[in-house]
C-alpha cells in the first residue's frame, strides 16, 4: 500500500465574499515524491497550498498532511526575520526548547543540505534572491519537516537561480524522503518532478505524468503568457 504525504478529499473553499476558490478538490501525493501544481493565474494554486499548510480553513472536505510541514513563500523577505543566515534557520527551533548543541547541529545540517553552510554568519540583506529561498528551505529542514510546500519559489529569481533551486529541492526529496508540492508557472521546472496536478477555476482537471500535463496546459492556454 502506497504511503501518502498529502491527501485531500472533496475540499471546498470560498472567500468571505462568497466567491468559490476551490471546488470538490481531491488529490494524493505519495510520501517521498516531488509533485508540482499547475494552472493559470486565478486557478486556485496558492489558495490550495495555503489550505494544506493550515493558513486557511476549508468550508468542507478533508486534509491530511504529514507533519511537521514547511512552507516557502514566493517572496523570501516575507518569512526571513533574523539578521543572519544561521540565526534565521535557528529561529524556528525556539519552541522546541533544544540544547544549544542540538540547535547548532540541526542548523549546520540544514544549511549543508542547501549548500549554504559557508554563509552561516552572512547577513540576510547581503544574500541573493536564490540564496534567501534556500535559507527559507533550510529553516523547514532544521525543523525536520516531513512535507515541504513551496508557493512559486522561483517567481522572483533569474533563470540560473531558478534551476539551481528546483534541482536542489529534487535532490532533497530523494535524499531525505521529504514529500514536496511546488506551485509553478514555469513549465521547464516540470523536468524535475515526479508528477503534476492541473487546476482550472478551482477544480482539479488532470493529474499524472508531468510532460503530458505540460503539453495539455500549453494547448488549453495558448494565449496565456507562461514562461517556458
Amino acid at each position: 500500500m502506497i504511503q501518502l504525504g498529502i491527501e485531500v478529499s472533496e475540499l471546498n473553499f470560498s472567500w468571505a465574499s462568497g466567491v468559490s476558490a476551490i471546488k470538490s478538490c481531491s488529490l494524493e501525493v505519495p510520501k517521498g515524491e516531488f509533485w508540482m501544481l499547475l494552472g493559470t493565474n486565478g486557478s486556485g494554486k496558492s489558495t490550495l497550498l495555503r489550505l494544506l499548510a493550515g493558513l486557511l480553513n476549508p468550508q468542507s472536505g478533508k486534509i491530511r498532511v504529514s507533519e511537521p510541514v514547511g512552507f516557502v513563500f514566493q517572496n523570501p523577505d516575507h518569512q526571513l526575520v533574523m539578521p543572519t543566515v544561521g540565526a534565521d534557520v535557528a529561529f524556528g527551533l525556539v519552541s522546541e526548547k533544544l540544547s544549544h548543541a542540538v540547535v547548532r547541529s540541526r542548523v549546520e545540517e540544514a544549511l549543508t543540505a542547501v549548500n549554504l553552510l559557508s554563509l552561516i554568519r552572512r547577513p540576510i540583506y547581503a544574500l541573493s534572491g536564490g540564496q534567501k529561498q534556500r535559507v527559507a528551505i533550510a529553516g523547514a529542514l532544521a525543523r525536520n519537516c516531513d512535507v515541504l510546500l513551496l508557493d512559486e519559489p522561483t517567481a522572483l529569481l533569474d533563470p540560473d537561480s531558478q534551476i539551481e533551486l528546483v534541482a536542489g529541492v529534487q535532490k532533497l526529496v530523494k535524499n531525505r524522503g521529504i514529500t514536496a508540492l511546488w506551485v509553478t508557472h514555469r513549465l521547464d521546472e516540470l523536468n524535475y518532478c515526479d508528477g503534476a496536478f492541473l487546476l482550472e477555476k478551482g477544480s482539479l482537471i488532470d493529474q499524472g505524468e508531468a510532460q503530458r500535463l505540460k503539453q495539455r496546459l500549453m494547448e488549453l492556454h495558448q494565449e496565456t503568457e507562461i514562461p517556458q
Side-chain angles (χ1 to χ4, degrees):
M1 185 175 180
I2 297 176
Q3 287 188 306
L4 300 175
I6 299 171
E7 185 178 5
V8 174
S9 177
E10 292 297 318
L11 192 65
N12 292 281
F13 175 79
S14 297
W15 299 108
S17 63
V19 175
S20 180
I22 300 296
K23 306 170 186 176
S24 301
C25 182
S26 298
L27 60 82
E28 296 177 346
V29 180
K31 187 175 178 61
E33 291 193 7
F34 182 15
W35 281 62
M36 291 190 175
L37 192 56
L38 310 173
T40 54
N41 284 331
S43 60
K45 302 183 303 299
S46 294
T47 301
L48 177 56
L49 210 69
R50 281 163 170 71
L51 286 163
L52 295 178
L55 301 177
L56 296 172
N57 296 316
Q59 274 74 47
S60 62
K62 294 182 179 179
I63 299 175
R64 297 184 183 87
V65 180
S66 297
E67 296 183 340
V69 177
F71 192 97
V72 178
F73 290 87
Q74 181 181 116
N75 187 341
D77 289 331
H78 292 166
Q79 68 184 110
L80 303 182
V81 298
M82 300 300 285
T84 68
V85 169
D88 200 90
V89 175
F91 181 73
L93 300 176
V94 172
S95 62
E96 297 188 39
K97 298 180 180 179
L98 304 170
S99 69
H100 177 75
V102 171
V103 169
R104 183 170 183 82
S105 175
R106 283 215 207 166
V107 169
E108 291 181 349
E109 182 181 7
L111 287 173
T112 297
V114 297
N115 297 318
L116 287 182
L117 182 58
S118 62
L119 302 185
I120 191 170
R121 295 182 178 82
R122 182 73 58 88
I124 293 293
Y125 71 80
L127 300 178
S128 68
Q131 288 171 332
K132 287 180 179 179
Q133 286 294 37
R134 284 191 281 155
V135 172
I137 292 172
L141 296 179
R143 292 186 289 108
N144 292 330
C145 72
D146 205 39
V147 170
L148 188 59
L149 305 172
L150 307 103
D151 191 8
E152 295 192 60
T154 61
L156 305 179
L157 305 184
D158 61 76
D160 289 341
S161 297
Q162 168 207 352
I163 295 304
E164 182 181 24
L165 186 66
V166 68
V169 170
Q170 180 193 45
K171 182 178 179 180
L172 288 171
V173 168
K174 289 185 176 181
N175 292 346
R176 288 184 166 231
I178 294 171
T179 305
L181 184 59
W182 172 298
V183 170
T184 187
H185 273 118
R186 294 180 165 178
L187 300 185
D188 54 345
E189 294 177 354
L190 289 166
N191 298 326
Y192 295 85
C193 66
D194 296 303
F197 302 103
L198 179 57
L199 280 183
E200 183 71 14
K201 297 180 180 179
S203 296
L204 184 67
I205 62 171
D206 205 347
Q207 64 183 32
E209 200 272 327
Q211 295 306 314
R212 181 180 63 79
L213 264 65
K214 175 179 178 179
Q215 183 62 36
R216 181 174 181 189
L217 189 61
M218 292 172 67
E219 292 172 352
L220 287 174
H221 309 288
Q222 289 179 356
E223 296 181 0
T224 302
E225 291 185 7
I226 302 176
Q228 300 178 29

